[in-house]
Amino acid sequence: MSHIVIIGCGIVGAAIAYQLSKIEGLKITVLDKQMPAQASTGAALGVLMGVISQKAKGRPWKMRRMSVQTYHNLIPELEAKINRPISHNRQGILQLCVPGDDLDKWQRLIDIREADGLPLEMWDVERLRDRCPQLQTSEVTAAIYSPQDLQVNPIELTLALVEAAQQNGVKFHFGVTVAEYETISQPKNEHRCRQVHIKSLDETKKAPALPDVDWLVVAAGLGSLPCLQGIKGGKLRSLQLKRKSNLDNRFTIVPVLGQALHLQVAAPLGNPDFQPVITGDDVNIVPVAENEYWVGSTVEFPNDIGEVVADSSLLDTVMARVISFCPGLADATILRKWSGLRPRPEGQAAPAVGYLEGFKNVLLATGHYRNGVLLAPATAEAVEKMIVK
């Protein structure tokens, strides 16, 4: 029985664990220093922009298309398996176009999607007002509606994946970290990770010993590269992808902070029977419950000394833009503010999914930046193919 160790239990690690748990003959162990659905996953809005994405070809589009299609079946599959609902919104995504947006470019995308049998619509302002009367349209030139795209609660989804994977026999160890890797050298300067030794972050507890490793999958987001620093023979200067390309520049993962708000209004906004996710000018309005919305998010890079500090004025700017689109949110009560760090790769296109250079059995599945929830199913499928082959 092949033993697979997965480091990281955010949405990506949990999706990989569940995907692999369906395959007979695999023993799977998941490790994380935190409880599941923390870090980037816990801060995400869960907006799955696939069909409405401007990606139209190649790997970026294929991963988006596959993931969105998977979610339409995966969510009910998990709900049936864990016997409880997962909060999600199937009423589509509505993109507001503002002056300066290229409507011809959107029309070309609509034509491309139509050729693929995927619905994507351009609405004029009159239709937008009719369908979404809560919106202020003075700055809007048109809207693009994608009925197939959706939104899901990232925390509930991740916890469901963990529970379903446990039912399938996956072992999870939380509050642990890697103490040491044992590696062996092979011909052609290739290596294998043979053993992962772990230690408990609680000094009063002893971490379990793990069986020998056949595959190591690192899906720890911003912690992915740091947790591999101790692996002998590994090269973090580049990532060997499935397509066999090698990169000469250094591969790093940079934290990019995002802030968001949870709002509550006194009365329903717009048509209660049509509450899609609304996005425009890089802000999102996400219906999450009756009279409740998530709004966000900021994009904040590290400063000159590498620190990422939340700037409250940027969140104020996001909120002001949200109100300009939806004035009814001006009087909303703020239930919660939160922020999180997204893993943005440099020297490698997002996401970074492939072999750690120099190793035959160490895979990276990280650096998803703002699309971790969206691309988790496609990432899980890519990892499965590399292992099963």
Side-chain angles (χ1 to χ4, degrees), residues 12-26:
V12 174
I16 294 169
Y18 179 63
Q19 180 82 7
L20 295 178
S21 74
K22 301 177 184 181
I23 302 172
E24 293 186 7
L26 297 182

Side-chain angles (χ1 to χ4, degrees), residues 368-387:
H368 290 74
Y369 191 27
R370 304 177 75 180
N371 292 305
V373 182
L374 169 62
L375 299 180
T379 301
E381 181 187 67
V383 169
E384 177 191 1
K385 288 181 177 179
M386 286 184 280
I387 289 175

Side-chain angles (χ1 to χ4, degrees), residues 52 70 95 191 264 274 307 316:
I52 206 169
T70 297
Q95 170 87 43
H191 305 269
Q264 184 179 51
F274 183 62
E307 295 179 338
D316 292 339

Side-chain angles (χ1 to χ4, degrees), residues 15 70 107 138 145 156 173 198 214 239 263 274 277 292 294 305 309 322 338 346 359 386 388:
T70 297
Q107 186 58 56
S138 60
Y145 178 56
E156 292 183 19
H173 299 291
I198 61 175
D214 295 289
L239 181 70
L263 306 178
F274 183 62
V277 172
E292 294 183 20
W294 290 345
I305 59 175
V309 181
V322 164
W338 75 93
E346 291 187 347
F359 275 81
M386 286 184 280
V388 170

Side-chain angles (χ1 to χ4, degrees), residues 211-290:
D212 283 356
V213 174
D214 295 289
W215 288 91
L216 174 64
V217 182
V218 181
L222 285 165
S224 296
L225 301 189
C227 83
L228 282 171
Q229 292 296 340
I231 192 165
K232 296 180 180 179
K235 298 179 181 179
L236 296 179
R237 287 191 58 79
S238 62
L239 181 70
Q240 178 186 338
L241 294 178
K242 188 177 180 181
R243 63 179 181 269
K244 304 299 183 184
S245 66
N246 290 309
L247 303 174
D248 295 327
N249 54 326
R250 183 171 177 78
F251 167 47
T252 60
I253 299 179
V254 174
V256 181
L257 188 138
Q259 300 181 71
L261 295 164
H262 185 175
L263 306 178
Q264 184 179 51
V265 292
L269 299 178
N271 182 356
D273 296 325
F274 183 62
Q275 290 285 313
V277 172
I278 296 170
T279 183
D281 207 12
D282 208 28
V283 300
N284 297 295
I285 304 171
V286 183
V288 291
E290 186 175 355

